[in-house]
Amino acid sequence: MDKDMVLEEARENAVKFVRLQFTDILGIVKNVAIPINQLEKAFEEGIWFDGSSIEGFVRIQESDMRLEPDPSTFAILPWRGTDDGFNNTARLICDVKTTDGEPFQGDPRQILKNVLGRAREMGFDFFAGPEPEFFIFDKKDGKATLNPH
């Protein structure tokens, strides 16, 4: 999916807000929510944020950082529906850039890209998949309990 496809899908689905997501150095998901009218700007210029407020990123004097959305990660959040039948919030996963436009070397996504690039150079392929796990609980008097089924 490219930028134009994302903008069209967002329009078709009446998206009102987009969460620009990234992770801190500990792997905790962070996000900056923007109104849909800022989405094109986010693709063209990025969205600036204070990197010193993110655990493990930068010091206060180096705080300006930019989020650059990856259009291939666009997804409408299914749990943010409204009465009109639309799911009005979407998300994009972002790369974190420094003030000079270079990838931030402390961005876990950038670190993964670097490692995958080195692995490819060495002839390795990387495969990953989810491992869903869940528990089923008994009900008592129509209410969920903490007793496993």
Side-chain angles (χ1 to χ4, degrees), residues 6 10 16 22 47 49 56 64 76 88 100 107 120 131 146:
V6 168
K16 291 187 174 44
F22 62 102
I47 297 294
F49 73 102
D64 291 337
I76 295 173
N88 297 119
D100 59 4
D107 175 16
R120 267 190 302 280
E131 183 179 326
L146 296 177

Side-chain angles (χ1 to χ4, degrees), residues 135-138 147-149:
F135 296 92
I136 298 175
F137 294 95
D138 288 331
N147 300 324
H149 180 66

